[in-house]
């Protein structure tokens, strides 16, 4: 419901501007009145942005969900692209990052994805580091409401773990599906033992809703500010 409402708000932005930016409308203006035309268009944009900003600001957030213990939320995570959750496991530090699968797979057309599938398919990045080591063990996983599957296991330098999409500087490991069943099961048991499983889904899904909402609100305000500066 939340996602549908936000999509409706952003998708509707174009409709109020279609009439005013069409050729018949602009043909009534001579070159000397271009500034007037620009002011009218800017006014339409600002009014539409304000209306949709107000609509989105009134949307009720999803029910508050706490992360499974002992994971804690990283301070400032909503305003960054870094880790969302952290925990300690013995002397290991575990950090969890997440993004929607539709936002990371190249060439994937969101229009071809069912609405429920789009919000129920997440990519989870789990970094497991130990003191004194320069590299972290990185798991890329597909996260669903009732399952978690490992896509790859790799070693990443600690300097490469600040962003999700940086290209690793070293060999990224074999194709996970190419490993034998025994090794794949062992890796799944390894992360399960550290609490990396589908129990993370409810919190991470709700967290992404909130992040999307904040990002959309920020976009409305920023675009409005840029349009005002051109007046």
């Amino acid at each position: 419901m939340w996602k549908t409402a936000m999509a409706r708000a952003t998708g509707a932005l174009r409709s109020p501007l279609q009439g005013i930016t069409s050729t018949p409308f602009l043909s009534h203006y001579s070159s000397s009145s271009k500034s007037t035309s620009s002011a009218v268009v800017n006014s339409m944009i600002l009014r539409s942005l304000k209306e949709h900003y107000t609509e989105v600001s009134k949307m009720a957030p999803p029910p508050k969900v706490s992360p499974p213990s002992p994971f804690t939320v990283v301070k400032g995570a909503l305003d960054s692209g870094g880790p969302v959750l952290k925990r300690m496991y013995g002397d290991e530090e575990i950090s969890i990052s997440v993004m929607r699968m539709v936002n990371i797979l190249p060439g994937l057309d969101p229009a071809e994805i069912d609405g429920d599938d789009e919000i129920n398919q997440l990519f989870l990045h789990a970094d497991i580091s130990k003191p004194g080591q320069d590299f972290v063990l990185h798991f890329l996983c597909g996260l669903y409401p009732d399952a978690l599957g490992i896509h790859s296991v790799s070693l990443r330098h600690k300097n490469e773990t600040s962003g999700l999409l940086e290209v690793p500087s070293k060999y990224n490991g074999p194709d996970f599906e190419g490993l034998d069943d025994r090794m794949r099961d062992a890796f799944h048991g390894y992360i399960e033992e550290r609490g990396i499983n589908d129990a993370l889904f409810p919190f991470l899904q709700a967290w992404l809703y909130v992040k999307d909402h904040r990002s959309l609100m920020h976009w409305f305000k920023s675009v409005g500010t840029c349009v005002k500066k051109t007046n």
Side-chain angles (χ1 to χ4, degrees):
M1 181 65 183
W2 233 53
K3 181 178 179 297
T4 302
M6 285 197 289
R8 184 174 65 250
T10 53
L13 275 172
R14 187 171 180 270
S15 56
L17 305 177
Q18 287 178 330
I20 197 167
T21 56
S22 62
T23 302
F25 179 88
L26 293 178
S27 64
H28 291 292
Y29 289 86
S30 64
S31 58
S32 62
S33 61
K34 285 183 178 179
S35 60
T36 302
S37 174
S38 177
V40 173
V41 172
N42 288 356
S43 177
M44 288 285 290
I45 292 174
L46 291 172
R47 183 164 65 250
S48 184
L49 286 169
K50 182 178 180 180
E51 290 173 354
H52 288 90
Y53 179 91
T54 301
E55 178 183 351
V56 173
S57 67
K58 293 179 180 178
M59 291 164 51
K64 186 175 181 179
V65 181
S66 298
S69 178
F71 283 100
T72 58
V73 181
V74 176
K75 185 177 180 180
L78 281 172
D79 299 314
S80 71
V84 178
L85 298 173
K86 283 192 175 183
R87 66 160 293 184
M88 296 300 297
Y89 182 80
D91 64 346
E92 299 174 353
E93 182 177 1
I94 300 173
S95 62
I96 302 293
S97 304
V98 66
M99 63 193 315
R100 298 194 192 284
M101 194 172 291
V102 69
N103 293 338
I104 193 173
L105 292 179
L108 186 63
D109 184 0
E112 298 178 356
I113 302 177
D114 180 81
D116 289 338
D117 288 341
E118 182 178 348
I119 63 175
N120 288 333
Q121 297 181 7
L122 307 179
F123 258 141
L124 180 146
H125 298 251
D127 288 319
I128 303 174
S129 62
K130 293 186 177 183
Q133 294 187 356
D134 293 332
F135 291 88
V136 302
L137 193 56
H138 177 78
F139 290 85
L140 174 61
C141 307
L143 179 61
Y144 305 88
D146 57 356
L148 180 145
I150 299 174
H151 285 280
S152 67
V153 182
S154 60
L155 286 174
R156 300 176 66 184
H157 197 279
K158 287 185 177 180
N159 292 337
E160 294 176 348
T161 60
S162 58
L164 297 180
L165 300 180
E166 293 185 25
V167 178
S169 60
K170 294 185 178 295
Y171 174 59
N172 204 31
D175 177 40
F176 189 75
E177 291 302 315
L179 301 176
D180 62 46
D181 292 344
R182 186 175 177 181
M183 183 172 289
R184 292 202 304 269
D185 289 345
F187 274 125
H188 276 101
Y190 181 86
I191 62 173
E192 172 72 31
E193 188 175 287
R194 288 157 176 77
I196 305 170
N197 53 43
D198 56 22
L200 294 168
F201 183 88
F203 170 80
L204 292 176
Q205 184 190 49
W207 184 87
L208 282 172
Y209 279 148
V210 175
K211 184 175 178 66
D212 288 347
H213 181 264
R214 285 168 63 103
S215 298
L216 182 57
M217 296 284 286
H218 178 73
W219 182 85
F220 284 138
K221 292 181 67 174
S222 298
V223 172
T225 299
C226 290
V227 172
K228 284 181 180 179
K229 288 181 179 179
T230 64
N231 289 343

